Short mmCIF file of all heavy atoms in Angstrom, two decimals:
data_model
loop_
_atom_site.label_atom_id
_atom_site.label_comp_id
_atom_site.label_asym_id
_atom_site.label_seq_id
_atom_site.Cartn_x
_atom_site.Cartn_y
_atom_site.Cartn_z
N LYS I 1 14.83 -13.04 -13.46
CA LYS I 1 14.31 -14.22 -14.40
C LYS I 1 12.72 -14.05 -14.37
O LYS I 1 12.17 -13.60 -13.34
CB LYS I 1 14.61 -15.59 -13.86
CG LYS I 1 15.95 -16.06 -14.13
CD LYS I 1 16.17 -17.42 -13.50
CE LYS I 1 17.48 -18.07 -13.84
NZ LYS I 1 17.67 -19.29 -13.26
N LYS I 2 12.07 -14.49 -15.37
CA LYS I 2 10.56 -14.59 -15.38
C LYS I 2 10.16 -16.06 -15.58
O LYS I 2 10.64 -16.72 -16.59
CB LYS I 2 9.98 -13.69 -16.47
CG LYS I 2 9.81 -12.31 -16.15
CD LYS I 2 8.60 -11.76 -16.76
CE LYS I 2 8.19 -10.50 -16.09
NZ LYS I 2 7.03 -9.83 -16.65
N VAL I 3 9.50 -16.62 -14.47
CA VAL I 3 9.06 -17.99 -14.67
C VAL I 3 7.54 -18.05 -14.38
O VAL I 3 7.01 -17.58 -13.34
CB VAL I 3 9.73 -18.91 -13.66
CG1 VAL I 3 9.26 -20.29 -13.67
CG2 VAL I 3 11.29 -18.85 -13.85
N ASP I 4 6.77 -18.62 -15.43
CA ASP I 4 5.29 -18.65 -15.26
C ASP I 4 4.72 -17.35 -15.05
O ASP I 4 3.71 -17.08 -14.15
CB ASP I 4 4.97 -19.60 -14.20
CG ASP I 4 5.39 -20.96 -14.42
OD1 ASP I 4 5.51 -21.30 -15.60
OD2 ASP I 4 5.63 -21.79 -13.50
N GLY I 5 5.28 -16.33 -15.57
CA GLY I 5 4.68 -14.89 -15.42
C GLY I 5 5.17 -14.27 -14.09
O GLY I 5 4.77 -13.05 -13.88
N LYS I 6 5.94 -14.87 -13.31
CA LYS I 6 6.38 -14.27 -12.01
C LYS I 6 7.76 -13.86 -12.16
O LYS I 6 8.61 -14.47 -12.83
CB LYS I 6 6.45 -15.34 -10.99
CG LYS I 6 5.12 -15.66 -10.21
CD LYS I 6 5.42 -16.54 -9.00
CE LYS I 6 4.02 -16.77 -8.28
NZ LYS I 6 4.22 -17.60 -7.06
N LYS I 7 8.01 -12.66 -11.55
CA LYS I 7 9.31 -12.05 -11.53
C LYS I 7 10.27 -12.72 -10.40
O LYS I 7 9.83 -12.49 -9.21
CB LYS I 7 9.22 -10.57 -11.40
CG LYS I 7 10.65 -9.81 -11.70
CD LYS I 7 10.44 -8.25 -11.58
CE LYS I 7 11.74 -7.58 -11.63
NZ LYS I 7 11.55 -6.14 -11.59
N LEU I 8 11.43 -13.31 -10.82
CA LEU I 8 12.19 -13.78 -9.77
C LEU I 8 13.55 -13.16 -9.73
O LEU I 8 14.08 -12.60 -10.70
CB LEU I 8 12.51 -15.34 -10.11
CG LEU I 8 11.32 -16.25 -10.19
CD1 LEU I 8 11.86 -17.77 -10.53
CD2 LEU I 8 10.34 -16.19 -9.02
N GLU I 9 14.24 -13.18 -8.54
CA GLU I 9 15.46 -12.39 -8.35
C GLU I 9 16.37 -13.34 -7.63
O GLU I 9 15.98 -14.12 -6.75
CB GLU I 9 15.26 -11.11 -7.66
CG GLU I 9 14.77 -11.18 -6.22
CD GLU I 9 14.75 -9.79 -5.57
OE1 GLU I 9 15.55 -8.91 -6.02
OE2 GLU I 9 13.86 -9.58 -4.65
N PRO I 10 17.74 -13.17 -7.74
CA PRO I 10 18.74 -13.87 -7.03
C PRO I 10 18.72 -13.58 -5.50
O PRO I 10 18.53 -12.37 -5.26
CB PRO I 10 20.03 -13.53 -7.75
CG PRO I 10 19.88 -12.33 -8.40
CD PRO I 10 18.42 -12.19 -8.75
N MET I 11 18.66 -14.55 -4.74
CA MET I 11 18.73 -14.30 -3.19
C MET I 11 20.14 -14.74 -2.68
O MET I 11 20.83 -15.62 -3.25
CB MET I 11 17.72 -15.21 -2.66
CG MET I 11 16.31 -15.02 -3.30
SD MET I 11 15.58 -13.33 -3.21
CE MET I 11 15.25 -13.27 -1.36
N GLU I 12 20.40 -14.25 -1.48
CA GLU I 12 21.61 -14.59 -0.73
C GLU I 12 21.27 -15.01 0.60
O GLU I 12 20.34 -14.39 1.21
CB GLU I 12 22.59 -13.42 -0.74
CG GLU I 12 22.99 -12.78 -2.09
CD GLU I 12 24.14 -13.39 -2.68
OE1 GLU I 12 24.89 -14.17 -1.90
OE2 GLU I 12 24.31 -13.33 -3.85
N GLN I 13 22.02 -15.87 1.25
CA GLN I 13 22.03 -16.18 2.60
C GLN I 13 23.15 -15.32 3.19
O GLN I 13 24.34 -15.29 2.72
CB GLN I 13 22.34 -17.57 2.96
CG GLN I 13 21.19 -18.53 2.89
CD GLN I 13 21.43 -19.94 3.27
OE1 GLN I 13 22.14 -20.62 2.45
NE2 GLN I 13 21.14 -20.36 4.44
N ILE I 14 22.75 -14.47 4.19
CA ILE I 14 23.77 -13.45 4.76
C ILE I 14 24.02 -14.08 6.28
O ILE I 14 23.14 -14.28 7.02
CB ILE I 14 23.28 -12.13 4.92
CG1 ILE I 14 22.76 -11.69 3.52
CG2 ILE I 14 24.29 -11.23 5.48
CD1 ILE I 14 22.25 -10.27 3.51
N PHE I 15 25.33 -14.30 6.59
CA PHE I 15 25.75 -14.73 7.90
C PHE I 15 26.51 -13.67 8.55
O PHE I 15 27.59 -13.18 8.00
CB PHE I 15 26.65 -16.04 7.68
CG PHE I 15 25.96 -17.17 6.96
CD1 PHE I 15 25.90 -17.16 5.69
CD2 PHE I 15 25.27 -18.14 7.81
CE1 PHE I 15 25.25 -18.28 5.12
CE2 PHE I 15 24.65 -19.21 7.14
CZ PHE I 15 24.62 -19.26 5.79
N ILE I 16 26.03 -13.07 9.72
CA ILE I 16 26.69 -12.07 10.38
C ILE I 16 27.19 -12.38 11.76
O ILE I 16 26.40 -13.01 12.42
CB ILE I 16 25.76 -10.76 10.40
CG1 ILE I 16 25.71 -10.28 8.93
CG2 ILE I 16 26.20 -9.73 11.39
CD1 ILE I 16 24.62 -9.06 8.85
N ASP I 17 28.34 -12.02 12.00
CA ASP I 17 28.87 -12.15 13.41
C ASP I 17 29.37 -10.80 13.86
O ASP I 17 30.25 -10.26 13.33
CB ASP I 17 30.15 -13.13 13.33
CG ASP I 17 30.76 -13.51 14.74
OD1 ASP I 17 30.62 -12.62 15.63
OD2 ASP I 17 31.19 -14.63 14.91
N CYS I 18 28.69 -10.30 14.95
CA CYS I 18 28.94 -8.94 15.38
C CYS I 18 28.69 -8.97 16.88
O CYS I 18 28.10 -9.87 17.55
CB CYS I 18 28.18 -7.85 14.72
SG CYS I 18 26.35 -7.91 15.01
N GLU I 19 29.14 -7.87 17.55
CA GLU I 19 28.93 -7.54 18.99
C GLU I 19 27.45 -7.26 19.10
O GLU I 19 26.72 -6.66 18.31
CB GLU I 19 29.75 -6.36 19.35
CG GLU I 19 31.28 -6.58 19.43
CD GLU I 19 32.03 -5.36 19.91
OE1 GLU I 19 31.36 -4.51 20.57
OE2 GLU I 19 33.16 -5.38 19.66
N ASP I 20 26.91 -7.86 20.27
CA ASP I 20 25.43 -7.66 20.47
C ASP I 20 24.82 -6.25 20.49
O ASP I 20 23.70 -6.08 20.28
CB ASP I 20 25.00 -8.53 21.70
CG ASP I 20 25.89 -8.16 22.94
OD1 ASP I 20 26.54 -7.10 22.94
OD2 ASP I 20 25.76 -8.80 24.00
N ALA I 21 25.81 -5.27 20.87
CA ALA I 21 25.45 -3.81 20.82
C ALA I 21 24.94 -3.38 19.44
O ALA I 21 24.22 -2.49 19.26
CB ALA I 21 26.51 -2.96 21.39
N PHE I 22 25.56 -4.03 18.33
CA PHE I 22 25.31 -3.60 17.01
C PHE I 22 24.02 -4.38 16.40
O PHE I 22 23.80 -4.21 15.24
CB PHE I 22 26.43 -3.68 16.17
CG PHE I 22 27.67 -2.91 16.69
CD1 PHE I 22 28.96 -3.57 16.81
CD2 PHE I 22 27.52 -1.51 17.11
CE1 PHE I 22 29.96 -2.92 17.41
CE2 PHE I 22 28.64 -0.93 17.53
CZ PHE I 22 29.78 -1.60 17.75
N MET I 23 23.51 -5.30 17.10
CA MET I 23 22.44 -6.21 16.67
C MET I 23 21.28 -5.43 16.05
O MET I 23 20.74 -5.65 14.93
CB MET I 23 21.98 -7.17 17.68
CG MET I 23 20.93 -8.14 17.08
SD MET I 23 20.72 -9.52 18.31
CE MET I 23 19.77 -8.52 19.52
N GLY I 24 20.86 -4.34 16.71
CA GLY I 24 19.70 -3.48 16.46
C GLY I 24 19.82 -2.87 15.12
O GLY I 24 19.04 -2.88 14.25
N VAL I 25 20.96 -2.12 14.92
CA VAL I 25 21.29 -1.21 13.74
C VAL I 25 21.35 -2.19 12.54
O VAL I 25 20.99 -1.90 11.49
CB VAL I 25 22.45 -0.37 13.94
CG1 VAL I 25 23.74 -1.15 14.03
CG2 VAL I 25 22.50 0.55 12.75
#
């Protein structure tokens, strides 16, 4: 989208549940 000359894009909230060993990658 373009609002007031600014380019906007759709955003997502990402919720991740994983083992702590994979947190870094």
